Amino acid sequence: MTLELHNVTKRVGANLHIKETSLVLEPGHFNVLLGATGSGKTSLIKLMAGLDPLASGTIKMDGQDVTRLSTQKRNISLVHQFFINYPHMTVYENIASPLKVAGMAKSEIQGRVEEAADILQLRPMLHRRPHELSGGQQQRCALARAIAKESKAVFLDEPLANLDYKLREELRDQLPDLFAGRGAVVVYATSEPEEALLLGGKTALMQDGRVTQFGPTAEIYRNPENVDAASVFSDPPINTARIEKRGDAAHLGDVSWTLSGVAASLADGPYTIAIRPHHVLPLPSDTANVRMPGEVQVTELSGSESSAHFEMGQGSWVSLSPGVHPYQVGETHEFYMDPTACFVFAPDGFRVA
Amino acid sequence: MKTENQKAWFFVLPVLLLVAFNALIPMMTVVNYSVQETFGDNVFFWQGLDWFEQILRSERFHASLGRQFMFTFLILIIEVPLGIAIALSMPRSGFWVPVCLVLMALPMLIPWNVVGAMWNIFALPDIGLLGYFLNHVLGIHYDMTQDPIAAWVTIITMDVWHWTSLVVLLSYAGLVSIPDAYYQAAKIDGASNWSVFRFIQLPKMKTVLTIAILLRFMDSFNIYTEPFVLTGGGPGNSTTLLSIDLVKIALGQFDLGPAAAMSLIYFAITLLVSWLFYTLMTKDDLN
């Protein structure tokens, strides 16, 4: 089973909410849609599910054109950010509902419901109503419905966003196992880069209704093709700056360094660099050796890491380093950047080094 | 230091007075009449429960009560499904929503006696629009002043016209409160339109429908003005509903004792049926 999108667009009034998008999604791993709120993740999922009409393009499931096929006939599942269960039915009836609609025999329904309930640890709650469950259990019930249905495509639209931290981690660890070996195409929408990395598989980066890059998640993280891809896939946000290349040196205001590798062979002129916050450190090292003095504006401490936002030249920068650093807001601190970790983009936004 | 006093009771006093004047005193007056006989001049004779016994045994009372139940049953069986159907077919968003809502609310804004008078003229066999159309264009013999069936059809149609909107508006309120995600979930489950109605829309409408049915039951069970203006209870006694009969006894015959006893029985029946219905409908929610 594969799910293919060919030049798909979605129009609302005069606006294109999804601009020409082509993707081939495969089973066996998670297909993560990663993008900020409003980037078009949910819109794209609704198109794939057949809940909204396409303005143009085709969708194929298993090589068959399903563009005009109604949602009811597509054999898919969707789990929402909000826990959507039928409130007046028990957990058992909720999980069984798509199977009952499909006209499956009672004994088979029971087998499938119990299997799904076991996987999601819902056995003791089968006879409760959704409002008698906790948020995590309600979402597990919605997931169990998707699993019991054994559909060809499963869409998970920020399924963990409304759960508290602990539950989110617990369920996220289980998710890849839940769908492993079921042969379904799993599409997972999230706005958190970290979540995409943890889930693995492939990621499609989304911005302004467009897929900016699609490929194995780790590969995209390591090699963003354009400025947008680099900035979407970074939390805290990636640092970007305009540099001027002259000879084999890069100039950023008063700071300059010697370029190496591919970057050194580029033509002279203006470029944009992007560098992740954990390559800008408060102490020098063999690799982080470009000195950048800046005035500390905001500091944050997140347990094992310290981050500092500082002003240098016209730009605002973020540094993220392991351990606890005693920054003073307002002081001028020296940060050290690793020039080999810089992504270099041409003025049109495409990666050149 | 805490001062203990009973001054807070003064806050309740206005409400107490209001309730006393508009409910307790009239009610107790009726109770007073129901157990006594009077020939005027404020002279009363103790009668015990005789009037109640007389009313409960009276065939006339049984007949009007039967007609009353028939009327209420018929209008509920028509108005509730019709109201739900109209609510389901109304648009959920866009320009037509306020138009539909105003059109729906219009009949309910017309005073009851005007509705009765309107339909009376509307149904006149030779000059009324409806009467003329049925008799002279379609050739159906229709005269509600002569034919009991025609009279019943007319009062039922009038009530449906006047009050279906209430069911529509309440059902509509229930429908628009259902988030889109439920419809999407149902579509994805492969549910038919009927299943969506049966398992999503109907359960979500249950609370408002309970209120709609309760209101329609109480209103129709106590209905007086419209059928009185329309048919005056005729032809014969065929549309003499309970309240019309009650007024005949109380004001026509000036039998205050039996009328008071009948009022209390009437009140008890309305209360009992409403309570039973409400208890049955909300039983599930309590467990």
Side-chain angles (χ1 to χ4, degrees):
Chain A
M1 162 69 199
T2 55
L3 179 61
E4 297 170 49
L5 309 180
H6 295 289
N7 303 320
V8 166
T9 63
K10 181 196 172 183
R11 188 178 289 278
V12 177
N15 301 323
L16 272 183
H17 278 203
I18 295 292
K19 289 152 198 156
E20 288 220 347
T21 297
S22 298
L23 281 175
V24 178
L25 306 173
E26 285 164 337
H29 55 76
F30 267 52
N31 296 285
V32 180
L33 301 178
L34 175 63
T37 308
S39 61
K41 304 182 300 278
T42 301
S43 296
L44 194 60
I45 283 183
K46 280 189 177 175
L47 287 185
M48 293 193 272
L51 292 167
D52 285 334
L54 304 185
S56 64
T58 50
I59 297 178
K60 287 183 180 177
M61 284 172 83
D62 250 347
Q64 278 190 320
D65 191 338
V66 296
T67 314
R68 310 248 169 280
L69 197 67
S70 71
T71 304
Q72 283 94 330
K73 295 187 179 133
R74 285 196 193 188
N75 192 12
I76 51 171
S77 302
L78 171 61
V79 176
H80 277 269
Q81 172 178 354
F82 307 101
F83 324 128
I84 301 295
N85 295 299
Y86 303 115
H88 58 287
M89 293 185 190
T90 62
V91 170
Y92 183 96
E93 289 167 331
N94 261 288
I95 302 173
S97 65
L99 309 176
K100 225 185 261 175
V101 166
M104 194 178 279
K106 269 204 171 156
S107 54
E108 204 183 341
I109 292 181
Q110 190 174 359
R112 287 228 208 156
V113 170
E114 284 173 357
E115 189 208 337
D118 282 341
I119 295 174
L120 287 152
Q121 301 144 36
L122 286 169
R123 250 312 165 116
M125 294 104 188
L126 278 178
H127 295 288
R128 291 202 202 155
R129 300 258 171 114
H131 64 89
E132 295 165 316
L133 303 179
S134 71
Q137 290 166 341
Q138 286 183 38
Q139 193 63 316
R140 282 224 274 283
C141 176
L143 282 165
R145 196 158 78 233
I147 283 172
K149 195 182 172 189
E150 294 186 2
S151 45
K152 289 182 180 173
V154 180
F155 303 107
L156 308 169
D157 189 1
E158 304 199 39
L160 308 179
N162 277 23
L163 296 175
D164 64 53
Y165 175 71
K166 271 265 182 243
L167 275 170
R168 197 183 316 171
E169 292 210 323
E170 200 181 303
L171 207 49
R172 185 172 50 215
D173 289 345
Q174 296 172 0
L175 273 176
D177 293 340
L178 289 184
F179 293 100
R182 291 188 174 264
V185 171
V186 183
V187 179
Y188 185 104
T190 180
S191 56
E192 291 174 36
E194 194 195 6
E195 209 161 83
L197 284 168
L198 286 168
L199 289 168
K202 285 186 171 180
T203 291
L205 293 180
M206 295 204 64
Q207 197 168 34
D208 298 329
R210 220 189 334 236
V211 171
T212 50
Q213 193 176 346
F214 177 57
T217 307
E219 182 57 27
I220 296 187
Y221 182 78
R222 274 195 294 270
N223 288 311
E225 280 173 5
N226 48 54
V227 181
D228 292 341
S231 55
V232 168
F233 216 149
S234 190
D235 186 25
I238 203 161
N239 298 301
T240 56
R242 302 291 299 266
I243 60 158
E244 191 72 29
K245 178 179 181 288
R246 282 194 297 274
D248 60 355
H251 301 275
L252 167 60
D254 301 334
V255 180
S256 60
W257 65 92
T258 311
L259 291 165
S260 60
V262 188
S265 58
L266 294 169
D268 285 3
Y271 291 92
T272 302
I273 58 159
I275 183 159
R276 296 193 196 278
H278 64 264
H279 291 299
V280 180
L281 302 170
L283 296 167
S285 71
D286 290 347
T287 49
N289 50 23
V290 178
R291 200 168 62 90
M292 302 172 92
E295 190 188 313
V296 177
Q297 307 278 328
V298 179
T299 67
E300 282 161 359
L301 194 60
S302 65
S304 55
E305 289 173 321
S306 311
S307 71
H309 296 243
F310 63 95
E311 289 278 327
M312 190 193 69
Q314 290 88 39
S316 172
W317 290 69
V318 186
S319 153
L320 183 68
S321 54
V324 178
H325 282 271
Y327 296 115
Q328 293 293 322
V329 172
E331 74 168 340
T332 298
H333 199 285
E334 290 194 341
F335 292 92
Y336 299 88
M337 178 193 76
D338 177 359
T340 58
C342 277
F343 303 122
V344 184
F345 303 93
D348 63 4
F350 281 95
R351 175 96 179 273
V352 286
Chain B
M1 208 187 91
K2 201 168 72 177
T3 318
E4 292 211 3
N5 62 44
Q6 305 292 321
K7 282 179 191 155
W9 286 103
F10 286 111
F11 290 111
V12 189
L13 207 58
V15 179
L16 205 68
L17 283 173
L18 205 70
V19 171
F21 275 105
N22 77 21
L24 285 179
I25 295 174
M27 179 87 181
M28 285 320 292
T29 314
V30 175
V31 172
N32 204 14
Y33 277 125
S34 72
V35 290
Q36 298 184 83
E37 167 74 300
T38 173
F39 302 102
D41 293 335
N42 260 338
V43 184
F44 289 92
F45 302 93
W46 177 251
Q47 203 70 30
L49 294 176
D50 288 0
W51 299 135
F52 289 92
E53 206 179 324
Q54 185 190 319
I55 289 293
L56 286 171
R57 286 174 192 278
S58 135
E59 273 179 30
R60 176 176 164 178
F61 175 74
H62 295 164
S64 3
L65 185 65
R67 282 189 290 268
Q68 186 62 67
F69 271 116
M70 176 64 94
F71 175 76
T72 296
F73 173 76
L74 286 174
I75 66 106
L76 283 178
I77 206 118
I78 296 172
E79 287 176 15
V80 173
L82 184 65
I84 295 173
I86 294 175
L88 284 171
S89 51
M90 269 167 62
R92 303 283 153 75
S93 60
F95 169 77
W96 291 104
V97 172
V99 177
C100 287
L101 289 178
V102 169
L103 282 177
M104 278 296 139
L106 272 181
M108 295 195 296
L109 298 176
I110 302 173
W112 297 34
N113 54 349
V114 176
V115 170
M118 246 168 63
W119 278 79
N120 190 328
I121 296 165
F122 190 46
L124 286 176
D126 291 314
I127 55 165
L129 198 59
L130 177 70
Y132 183 87
F133 183 76
L134 287 176
N135 282 299
H136 300 286
V137 178
L138 294 183
I140 301 165
H141 177 70
Y142 166 82
D143 184 354
M144 63 156 196
T145 58
Q146 302 295 321
D147 177 11
I149 299 203
W152 268 84
V153 170
T154 316
I155 61 166
I156 298 286
T157 314
M158 176 184 66
D159 198 84
V160 168
W161 175 83
H162 197 183
W163 288 111
T164 304
S165 305
L166 182 79
V167 183
V168 174
L169 294 181
L170 285 169
S171 305
Y172 186 74
L175 278 178
V176 293
S177 70
I178 302 174
D180 256 357
Y182 284 95
Y183 292 115
Q184 290 172 8
K187 264 192 184 175
I188 281 162
D189 281 356
S192 61
N193 286 344
W194 166 252
S195 314
V196 170
F197 174 70
R198 172 68 188 78
F199 296 111
I200 296 176
Q201 292 172 323
L202 204 55
K204 278 275 179 180
M205 279 194 289
K206 193 181 150 192
T207 323
V208 280
L209 269 182
T210 306
I211 294 167
I213 294 173
L214 209 56
L215 285 175
R216 279 319 295 133
F217 165 75
M218 291 191 291
D219 266 359
S220 67
F221 205 75
N222 297 338
I223 193 168
Y224 174 75
T225 318
E226 293 162 286
F228 181 75
V229 175
L230 184 66
T231 64
N237 275 332
S238 61
T239 57
T240 302
L241 302 173
L242 214 45
S243 60
I244 298 179
D245 203 20
L246 177 63
V247 172
K248 275 184 186 168
I249 295 172
L251 300 178
Q253 300 158 218
F254 221 70
D255 286 334
L256 291 183
M262 187 170 159
S263 300
L264 290 175
I265 295 166
Y266 196 167
F267 176 60
I269 293 172
T270 314
L271 206 63
L272 183 73
V273 176
S274 301
W275 176 79
L276 266 179
F277 174 75
Y278 188 78
T279 311
L280 286 175
M281 287 304 285
T282 52
K283 193 180 61 180
D284 286 350
D285 305 339
L286 294 176
N287 326 337

